[in-house]
Amino acid sequence: MDKIELIGFVAGILVAISLLPQVIKSWKTRSTKDVALSWSIINLSGQILWIVYGVYISSTSLVVMSSIALVMNIFMVTLKLRFG
Amino acid sequence: MDKIELIGFVAGILVAISLLPQVIKSWKTRSTKDVALSWSIINLSGQILWIVYGVYISSTSLVVMSSIALVMNIFMVTLKLRFG
């Protein structure tokens, strides 16, 4: 992997895992009052389309990273609906 | 633009603008207690790398969408630091 592809790869990893601390925080505090539900839903819709696009263009990185983000968004939507 | 590229384009737009309702909510409510600062900072770091990567591979879409997400993340970090 050359330097440029490595930058892209690290970028994707960072963006994909960025939601993890938010999910952990919401899970621990049981409070999601300040989190916008529409944010998670719009992001989730985008991730589903990224996966479809990734499968079509045969981009493993895109499919893997969008899947990670999708799972975390599903957690966030569930936590938001549960804790309000 | 063919159908597949359109799917990728819409996916990018959705993910890029998804933070907007969160920024608006945090701005209006002046409350970001339930928002994890580390989420915004990790995501922001990833968007900066996406822009670098996008410039290198000459992907206008990637640069534009990451820039939109970057600006919204800067807003989120600022709001979080301001309102705690």
Side-chain angles (χ1 to χ4, degrees):
Chain A
M1 194 186 295
D2 66 24
K3 273 185 196 167
I4 300 312
E5 281 308 310
L6 186 66
I7 291 173
F9 189 74
V10 174
I13 293 277
L14 286 175
V15 172
I17 65 160
S18 65
L19 255 177
L20 190 61
Q22 181 62 56
V23 171
I24 293 171
K25 186 184 176 96
S26 299
W27 176 260
K28 279 188 178 168
T29 61
R30 255 67 176 155
S31 174
T32 53
K33 186 174 61 66
D34 300 333
V35 177
L37 179 63
S38 47
W39 155 57
S40 295
I41 290 176
I42 296 171
N43 200 292
L44 189 152
S45 313
Q47 301 298 345
I48 291 171
L49 291 184
W50 268 142
I51 295 171
V52 173
Y53 178 70
V55 168
Y56 268 101
I57 68 165
S58 305
S59 167
T60 309
S61 302
L62 192 55
V63 172
V64 171
M65 288 164 191
S66 300
S67 299
I68 295 169
L70 177 66
V71 169
M72 284 194 274
N73 267 297
I74 291 170
F75 270 105
M76 274 314 297
V77 171
T78 310
L79 289 166
K80 175 68 185 172
L81 293 174
R82 174 71 185 76
F83 303 122
Chain B
M1 193 187 295
D2 66 23
K3 272 185 197 168
I4 300 310
E5 282 307 311
L6 186 66
I7 291 173
F9 188 75
V10 174
I13 292 278
L14 285 174
V15 172
I17 64 160
S18 66
L19 255 178
L20 190 61
Q22 181 61 56
V23 172
I24 293 171
K25 186 185 176 95
S26 299
W27 175 260
K28 278 188 180 170
T29 62
R30 255 67 175 155
S31 174
T32 53
K33 186 173 60 67
D34 301 332
V35 177
L37 180 62
S38 47
W39 154 58
S40 294
I41 290 177
I42 297 171
N43 199 292
L44 188 151
S45 312
Q47 300 300 345
I48 291 173
L49 292 183
W50 268 142
I51 294 171
V52 173
Y53 178 69
V55 168
Y56 268 102
I57 67 165
S58 305
S59 168
T60 310
S61 302
L62 192 55
V63 172
V64 171
M65 287 163 193
S66 300
S67 300
I68 295 170
L70 177 66
V71 170
M72 284 194 276
N73 266 296
I74 291 170
F75 270 105
M76 273 316 295
V77 171
T78 310
L79 289 167
K80 176 69 185 170
L81 293 175
R82 174 71 184 79
F83 303 121

